[in-house]
Amino acid sequence: MKERCLLCDIIDQELSERKRIVCEHDNFVAVCPYASRFPFEIMVLPKKHGRILSDNPASAIGDFAKILKPVMTKLRLGLNSPAYNMVFHYLPVNSGSDAEAESLAYHWHLEIIPRISVITADSFENGIFVNPTLPEDAAEFLRNIRE
């Protein structure tokens, strides 16, 4: 273990580069992740490290709604209301590992995967995905959509 959180490092880099940011709020940032598996994949990340959504104060949870609304509006307007999957990633429960180490290493987030391309069973079985859309292009397209 490197005693740091990968997503905290990613957030710092994304905020520094600003190429893949879709939108940002005081406590959250929405990005099209580097090496996205799917076209227009978006991660909504809390800027402060936390294991689960409820680790945040009530005001930050309100900010989560404030960033989620424009993200979903941009997807609806820009991609013609696509089907999508929304996946919350939380700290594993009762994993049997070192709870303190997991708490330091795990950063909750929301992943939004628009279903705008055909995904073959082979992709999932082999873990090999082909995304024809650069995340920088996807982020710029979505950023430029006015609500």
Side-chain angles (χ1 to χ4, degrees):
M1 180 165 109
K2 298 287 184 189
E3 297 182 7
R4 50 196 264 190
C5 170
L6 174 64
L7 287 180
C8 287
D9 289 348
I10 288 171
I11 291 165
D12 289 344
Q13 182 174 348
E14 294 298 344
L15 291 173
S16 171
E17 292 180 2
R18 308 204 70 79
K19 291 190 254 180
R20 290 176 289 275
I21 293 177
V22 175
C23 58
E24 182 180 358
H25 199 277
D26 294 342
N27 294 303
F28 293 89
V29 62
V31 301
C32 291
Y34 179 81
S36 302
R37 295 166 298 163
F38 308 101
F40 295 91
E41 177 179 349
I42 298 173
M43 290 174 66
V44 179
L45 301 152
K47 291 180 180 178
K48 287 192 173 209
H49 185 84
R51 304 163 303 150
I52 56 176
L53 176 62
S54 61
D55 281 351
N56 292 281
S59 60
I61 294 172
D63 288 346
F64 180 60
K66 289 177 185 172
I67 196 167
L68 195 55
K69 183 178 181 193
V71 166
M72 298 311 294
T73 300
K74 288 172 181 291
L75 285 174
R76 181 178 53 82
L77 295 175
L79 302 179
N80 196 24
S81 300
Y84 58 88
N85 292 98
M86 230 184 226
V87 182
F88 279 91
H89 294 270
Y90 287 138
L91 175 73
V93 178
N94 299 327
S95 69
S97 296
D98 180 0
E100 185 177 338
E102 284 183 346
S103 180
L104 292 171
Y106 207 84
H107 193 127
W108 81 270
H109 60 282
L110 173 68
E111 184 178 17
I112 304 166
I113 305 167
R115 297 301 183 181
I116 58 175
S117 61
V118 175
I119 303 162
T120 65
D122 289 345
S123 292
F124 281 110
E125 289 172 8
N126 299 319
I128 300 170
F129 298 89
V130 177
N131 179 358
T133 308
L134 290 172
E136 294 82 1
D137 294 344
E140 181 179 11
F141 175 81
L142 292 171
R143 239 189 344 263
N144 290 326
I145 294 173
R146 301 292 169 229
E147 301 167 46

